[in-house]
Amino acid sequence: MQRNLKYAILGLLCGEDLTGYEIAQKYGDTLVQFWNAKHSQIYPELKKLTEEGAVEYSVEISSNMLEKKVYSITEEGRNDFLRWLETIEPMPHTPKDIFRLRLFFSNYLDDEKRMRLITEQLSEHEHRRDWLIREMNKFNGIVPQKGTPEFADYLVLTGSIMREESQVNWLNRCRLLYGE
Amino acid sequence: MQRNLKYAILGLLCGEDLTGYEIAQKYGDTLVQFWNAKHSQIYPELKKLTEEGAVEYSVEISSNMLEKKVYSITEEGRNDFLRWLETIEPMPHTPKDIFRLRLFFSNYLDDEKRMRLITEQLSEHEHRRDWLIREMNKFNGIVPQKGTPEFADYLVLTGSIMREESQVNWLNRCRLLYGE
DNA sequence: TTCGGCATGTAACTCGTTACATGATTTT
DNA sequence: AAAATCATGTAACGAGTTACATGCCGAA
């Protein structure tokens, strides 16, 4: 029983009250670097969390008829989240990587197709890296105050950029080695 | 419909005939860097692949009574695998990362607990890196011949080491930034 | 008035893990 | 004789995706 989605939601609700729709949006923005979830998973989870007493909601009516449920975390939910946050779990397996799986078997491909595989992957990681660097620009080169949410955001972004950078370096080396 | 496990199995069977048990072992050795599967997933998949005509098996009896099913890939299975191998798919989402999720919310932790979280993670990645470097030693510093399975193995290993290296660098930077 | 975005949900399905279940063989 | 390893399977559950389904709001 991991219940990671539960804590991914509770963590967001620790900072502000949100609707299910807004939570889903966060997993398309900032959090997409290390987490994502579709609304079809979020709505049932919020229902479950409400039943468990970890969150509660009030219905707001915007404009005229459009209803939305604004969720907030309860005392109980917050304590549960904080307990989870400080627990040290054994690291999970290295995540599955389909590109590496293909590359591992790439001796069954001819040179041209193998090179295409690598080049394509390289360009995707370069785009991802460039997007992350643009995200980083929102800090204007100023490292946020230690202990703030912005600082944590900054650290995670730094890590993502370094990861993509290393991926790009590796793929370039692969190209070189095959190109020789 | 991704069917990645299917191709992860067919790829192995392209090189040699294997039992389900042996396949499961491979996902604890070499392939653990980028793939893994338990026997409880492999046996049903092999059954399915047999029904689909992608593989076939012969029963061998070792010693006295111990039966094992040795699987081999069929012509049809091989063609299917090769088609899959050369297809270029859009890159999947960055995989979920529970550590990064925790770090993202770490402003709710005190300095000492946050530092413990990072240090623990750092030491696990260092161990993983060191294990990978020991794996690399099996090549004795000699880059294998281009186009061989060993060369693909070498490339993937290189990538894993670079990934762990970059992770270690990032975590050290995190420690520094928090330690100041 | 049509299209994109806001807003909430359910259903069917695949994928993956843990636990259950059995039995032979080899090593200590 | 016990423990580890070889060997094969199933069951129950949790996690995640795609598709189905509905309806409001504002802008072009």
Side-chain angles (χ1 to χ4, degrees):
Chain A
M1 238 186 271
Q2 296 272 341
R3 301 293 308 276
N4 287 322
L5 178 60
K6 167 177 173 174
Y7 298 108
I9 290 175
L10 290 184
L12 289 176
L13 291 177
C14 264
E16 50 183 330
D17 292 355
L18 293 165
T19 68
Y21 189 83
E22 287 167 327
I23 291 170
Q25 276 182 311
K26 300 244 173 195
Y27 300 121
D29 276 17
T30 341
L31 280 79
V32 82
Q33 302 166 52
F34 54 89
W35 205 265
N36 72 81
K38 309 285 167 69
H39 74 275
S40 55
Q41 209 187 349
I42 292 164
Y43 288 121
E45 187 65 33
L46 283 170
K47 197 178 170 186
K48 202 173 170 188
L49 289 175
T50 308
E51 284 158 15
E52 288 172 7
V55 303
E56 52 194 18
Y57 65 88
S58 60
V59 176
E60 276 189 17
I61 294 169
S62 69
S63 296
N64 197 13
M65 283 286 287
L66 186 56
E67 289 191 2
K68 53 177 176 176
K69 295 181 178 176
V70 181
Y71 287 87
S72 50
I73 194 165
T74 63
E75 194 58 28
E76 202 189 319
R78 188 178 294 266
N79 290 335
D80 192 352
F81 170 73
L82 291 174
R83 261 195 311 280
W84 170 82
L85 190 56
E86 64 179 78
T87 55
I88 301 214
E89 286 168 293
M91 242 206 312
H93 274 132
T94 307
K96 289 184 170 55
D97 187 324
I98 297 166
F99 172 73
R100 282 175 153 86
L101 185 66
R102 279 203 172 85
L103 188 65
F104 185 74
F105 293 131
S106 70
N107 51 299
Y108 299 111
L109 287 178
D110 60 50
D111 288 6
E112 188 233 316
K113 278 173 182 160
R114 183 170 40 220
M115 194 53 95
R116 192 151 52 87
L117 195 71
I118 295 169
T119 305
E120 201 62 38
Q121 186 77 0
L122 176 60
S123 112
E124 295 218 49
H125 280 288
E126 283 172 341
H127 283 131
R128 202 171 267 184
R129 177 200 57 188
D130 293 345
W131 177 78
L132 289 165
I133 288 173
R134 279 197 301 279
E135 280 291 298
M136 186 53 110
N137 287 339
K138 72 186 171 193
F139 293 111
N140 293 314
I142 299 158
V143 180
Q145 198 76 46
K146 237 191 340 172
T148 59
E150 288 74 29
F151 187 73
D153 192 1
Y154 173 82
L155 285 187
V156 171
L157 238 181
T158 303
S160 298
I161 292 172
M162 288 173 75
R163 176 172 54 190
E164 294 303 323
E165 210 76 78
S166 116
Q167 192 83 2
V168 166
N169 287 340
W170 172 54
L171 290 166
N172 272 321
R173 191 185 291 191
C174 289
R175 284 219 303 184
L176 259 174
L177 283 168
Y178 272 118
E180 270 162 13
Chain B
M1 239 185 270
Q2 296 271 341
R3 300 293 308 275
N4 288 322
L5 179 59
K6 167 178 173 174
Y7 297 107
I9 289 175
L10 290 183
L12 290 177
L13 292 176
C14 265
E16 50 181 333
D17 292 355
L18 293 166
T19 68
Y21 189 82
E22 288 167 327
I23 292 171
Q25 277 182 311
K26 300 245 174 195
Y27 299 121
D29 278 17
T30 339
L31 280 81
V32 82
Q33 301 167 52
F34 54 89
W35 205 266
N36 73 81
K38 308 286 167 70
H39 73 275
S40 56
Q41 209 186 349
I42 291 164
Y43 288 121
E45 187 65 34
L46 283 169
K47 198 178 169 185
K48 203 173 171 188
L49 290 175
T50 308
E51 285 159 12
E52 288 171 9
V55 302
E56 51 195 18
Y57 66 88
S58 60
V59 176
E60 275 189 17
I61 294 170
S62 69
S63 296
N64 196 14
M65 283 284 289
L66 187 57
E67 288 190 2
K68 51 180 177 175
K69 296 182 178 175
V70 181
Y71 286 88
S72 50
I73 193 166
T74 63
E75 195 57 30
E76 202 189 320
R78 190 178 293 267
N79 291 334
D80 192 352
F81 170 73
L82 292 174
R83 261 195 312 280
W84 170 81
L85 191 55
E86 63 179 78
T87 55
I88 301 215
E89 288 168 293
M91 241 206 313
H93 274 133
T94 308
K96 291 184 169 57
D97 187 325
I98 297 166
F99 172 74
R100 280 173 154 85
L101 185 67
R102 279 205 172 83
L103 188 65
F104 185 74
F105 293 131
S106 69
N107 51 299
Y108 298 112
L109 286 178
D110 60 51
D111 288 4
E112 187 233 316
K113 279 174 182 161
R114 183 169 41 220
M115 193 53 94
R116 191 152 53 87
L117 195 70
I118 296 170
T119 305
E120 201 62 37
Q121 186 77 0
L122 176 60
S123 111
E124 295 219 48
H125 280 289
E126 282 172 340
H127 283 130
R128 202 170 267 185
R129 177 200 58 189
D130 293 345
W131 176 78
L132 290 165
I133 288 174
R134 278 195 302 278
E135 280 290 298
M136 186 54 109
N137 287 340
K138 71 186 171 193
F139 293 111
N140 293 314
I142 299 158
V143 180
Q145 198 75 46
K146 240 195 333 175
T148 60
E150 288 73 30
F151 187 73
D153 191 2
Y154 172 83
L155 285 187
V156 171
L157 238 181
T158 304
S160 297
I161 292 172
M162 288 172 75
R163 175 172 57 191
E164 293 304 323
E165 211 75 79
S166 117
Q167 192 83 2
V168 166
N169 288 340
W170 172 53
L171 289 166
N172 272 319
R173 192 185 290 191
C174 289
R175 283 219 302 186
L176 259 173
L177 283 167
Y178 271 119
E180 269 162 14

